[in-house]
Amino acid sequence: MYDVIVVGGGPGGYGAALYARNFGLSVALVERDTIGGTCLLRGCIPAKSWLQSAEVYSTVRSARDFGVITGDPRFDWPVALRRKDRIVKGLVRGLAGLLRYRKVDVVRGTGHLAGVGKVEVEEPGGFRLLEGRHVILATGSAPVELPGFPFDGQRIVSSDHALDWPERPGRVGIVGGGIVGCEFASLLADVGSEVVVFEMLDQLIPGFEPGAARELRKQLQRRGVTFVLGSGAELGTSGDRTVLQAAGGADGFEVDTILVAVGRRPVTDGLGLDTVGLGTDRGFLRVDPDTMQTAQAGVFAVGDIVAGTPGLAHGAFAEAVSAITFIATGSAKPVDYRALPSVVYTHPEVAAVGLTEAQAVAAGLEVESHDHSFFGVGRARIIGRNRGFVKILNEVGGPIVGATVVGPQAGELIHELMYMVGWEALPEEAAAFVHAHPTLSEATGETLMAAAGLPLH
């Protein structure tokens, strides 16, 4: 009898298993694939490895601007692919070793509920029944397949397939202008592919500030990416050629491959939810946000399968901590989604935390916004990346409720603003602290001073 059985070995699952050992709880972690989940195997880590390789290549190509003379660089796709694989395998080995060291029992196989406190695992040699006082479901997500665009792994691919392209694709049509679609557009443009992106809505990266989306679009267009916004995409053919076109047959583009990046769906089919009286909402599980417990006592859910949450790896970690804290102590430790950052690892990066202006207005808040461009920031000019801005949103006469950064190292800069949102800091309180010069963070300091009513530059 285990204290906790975790089904799924991604960030939410292995995070729950490791955190549970802090309380001396006995843990079984059931995983049918390699430990690491979507983030480590098919998402965050491999995608960012590709983006880093593309950024290095782009930097070397502009080395002459910095007074560094080199020969014409060449992007070696197979080497970048092997580097990505090496990084993933190294992290997987490290994680497996950590789980062993922390005395987590890893059970290989496909797990499903077989009643309250029971998980049946289908192993290569048969079935095995595990029993536990609590069960945490963390089975993750899979790419959404669009009608009319069946995945074949070559002509029509998901992001899972694209991470393992054996060679650089020449002409790529991307269906979906969200985070995943824009990240692939950025890296492919940097390595010389022709890219067209179709997005159903009128804005890229929906859910972010419109100004941030416009700046990202502008900078990607400068690097050759074509965008078709406000229209769905249709698959057409012209002889033996593949054509991607806007709904209605307009704006046709000949492509070699199509990447469908319209989101991910929860993996809850076959979990045996009916054995404990649980149903789903479009595949998602509903939980008590204070504890991550489902409607069935003793059964918890974290990560991509939870309804109404952002579907971020670091969000899954936080949800795992919340669930284990309740299991171990009986006390609630809810996730503060309000202060959970989100990052788009394009070039330039986009990062946000808290509310957008539209969300604040919808919530009935009276807000004001202030922003400062990287254009005149000394450090940004030194590194040759002075496009973008920092934007801060605060209640009139009240605390900071949201922030957005577009520009160099936005994913790092956002964490200072995360604390401000989380601690409900007043602009004048945060503006009292001095940022080092010359740094990119000065853009944040300047924005805070403007929000406090006393701008410097």
Side-chain angles (χ1 to χ4, degrees):
M1 172 72 73
Y2 288 96
D3 293 315
V4 181
I5 302 172
V6 183
V7 182
Y14 74 72
L18 291 171
Y19 199 71
R21 295 298 296 143
N22 290 322
F23 300 94
L25 301 177
S26 58
V27 185
L29 175 59
V30 181
E31 173 55 55
R32 67 183 178 185
D33 195 359
T34 305
I35 291 292
T38 295
C39 176
L40 179 48
L41 304 176
R42 297 173 293 276
C44 315
I45 301 302
K48 279 53 177 180
S49 174
W50 276 116
L51 283 157
Q52 184 63 35
S53 291
E55 183 175 350
V56 170
Y57 176 61
S58 177
T59 300
V60 173
R61 282 192 304 167
S62 62
R64 187 177 294 270
D65 296 340
F66 294 84
V68 179
I69 306 302
T70 67
D72 289 335
R74 179 176 63 88
F75 191 85
D76 193 325
W77 188 276
V79 171
L81 175 60
R82 289 196 296 272
R83 180 178 187 271
K84 180 269 293 183
D85 290 340
R86 188 168 62 250
I87 290 170
V88 170
K89 289 175 182 176
L91 289 171
V92 168
R93 284 195 302 269
L95 177 58
L98 180 60
L99 289 165
R100 285 194 302 271
Y101 176 75
R102 298 287 289 275
K103 295 182 171 54
V104 173
D105 290 344
V106 177
V107 181
R108 303 289 182 177
T110 302
H112 62 266
L113 294 168
V116 177
K118 297 179 180 180
V119 174
E120 187 175 62
V121 182
E122 184 179 356
E123 300 176 307
F127 290 88
R128 174 180 175 187
L129 184 66
L130 304 178
E131 295 188 75
R133 295 179 179 85
H134 307 88
V135 175
I136 298 178
L137 303 175
T139 45
S141 61
V144 170
E145 188 174 60
L146 275 180
F149 292 87
F151 294 139
D152 59 21
Q154 294 182 341
R155 189 177 67 140
I156 302 176
V157 304
S158 70
S159 57
D160 290 1
H161 300 121
L163 291 168
D164 289 316
W165 271 322
E167 57 187 21
R168 179 183 67 82
R171 299 167 298 179
V172 183
I174 300 177
V175 181
I179 293 176
V180 174
C182 285
E183 287 184 349
F184 270 99
S186 180
L187 80 87
L188 289 168
D190 276 346
V191 299
S193 298
E194 295 179 28
V195 183
V196 57
V197 178
F198 285 77
E199 169 54 46
M200 179 74 75
L201 301 179
D202 292 327
Q203 175 187 315
L204 294 179
I205 51 173
F208 286 79
E209 288 282 6
R214 286 193 297 271
E215 181 64 28
L216 176 61
R217 178 185 176 187
K218 182 167 60 177
Q219 294 204 38
L220 289 177
Q221 283 177 322
R222 285 192 180 120
R223 306 214 308 277
V225 179
T226 299
F227 292 97
V228 180
L229 302 183
S231 173
E234 295 178 348
L235 180 63
T237 57
S238 179
D240 59 352
R241 298 175 299 170
T242 299
V243 176
L244 191 62
Q245 59 196 30
D251 298 315
F253 298 85
E254 186 178 334
V255 297
D256 301 314
T257 188
I258 297 170
L259 167 61
V260 177
V262 293
R264 300 184 68 86
R265 59 174 178 81
V267 177
T268 51
D269 293 342
L271 259 183
L273 298 173
D274 57 323
T275 67
V276 294
L278 289 176
T280 64
D281 179 359
R282 293 172 300 145
F284 293 96
L285 281 165
R286 296 207 167 272
V287 300
D288 176 350
D290 288 338
T291 65
M292 306 309 295
Q293 187 166 220
T294 68
Q296 172 60 58
V299 179
F300 299 75
V302 299
D304 291 351
I305 63 174
V306 177
T309 58
L312 300 168
H314 46 288
F317 284 134
E319 291 163 358
V321 168
S322 177
I324 292 298
T325 298
F326 181 71
I327 289 170
T329 70
S331 300
K333 188 178 181 180
V335 178
D336 187 357
Y337 295 106
R338 183 178 52 98
L340 194 69
S342 181
V343 183
V344 188
Y345 293 89
T346 42
H347 173 199
E349 292 183 352
V350 181
V353 66
L355 301 175
T356 64
E357 278 199 70
Q359 291 166 343
V361 170
L365 301 180
E366 185 180 359
V367 294
E368 58 186 10
S369 67
H370 299 271
D371 60 76
H372 189 84
S373 171
F374 281 107
F375 186 78
V377 175
R379 179 66 175 168
R381 283 186 168 268
I382 288 167
I383 66 174
R385 296 186 178 179
N386 63 327
R387 295 190 178 96
F389 59 85
V390 174
K391 175 177 179 176
I392 291 174
L393 188 69
N394 63 279
E395 290 190 57
V396 175
I400 296 167
V401 297
T404 297
V405 183
V406 185
Q409 297 297 311
E412 304 297 334
L413 297 177
I414 198 64
H415 292 95
E416 178 184 9
L417 294 156
M418 171 194 73
Y419 286 115
M420 296 176 197
V421 171
W423 288 336
E424 299 181 334
L426 299 174
E428 55 268 27
E429 293 174 330
F433 295 95
V434 180
H435 292 75
H437 174 76
T439 61
L440 297 173
S441 297
E442 284 183 282
T444 300
E446 293 282 354
T447 313
L448 288 168
M449 292 181 74
L454 297 168
L456 181 60
H457 290 92

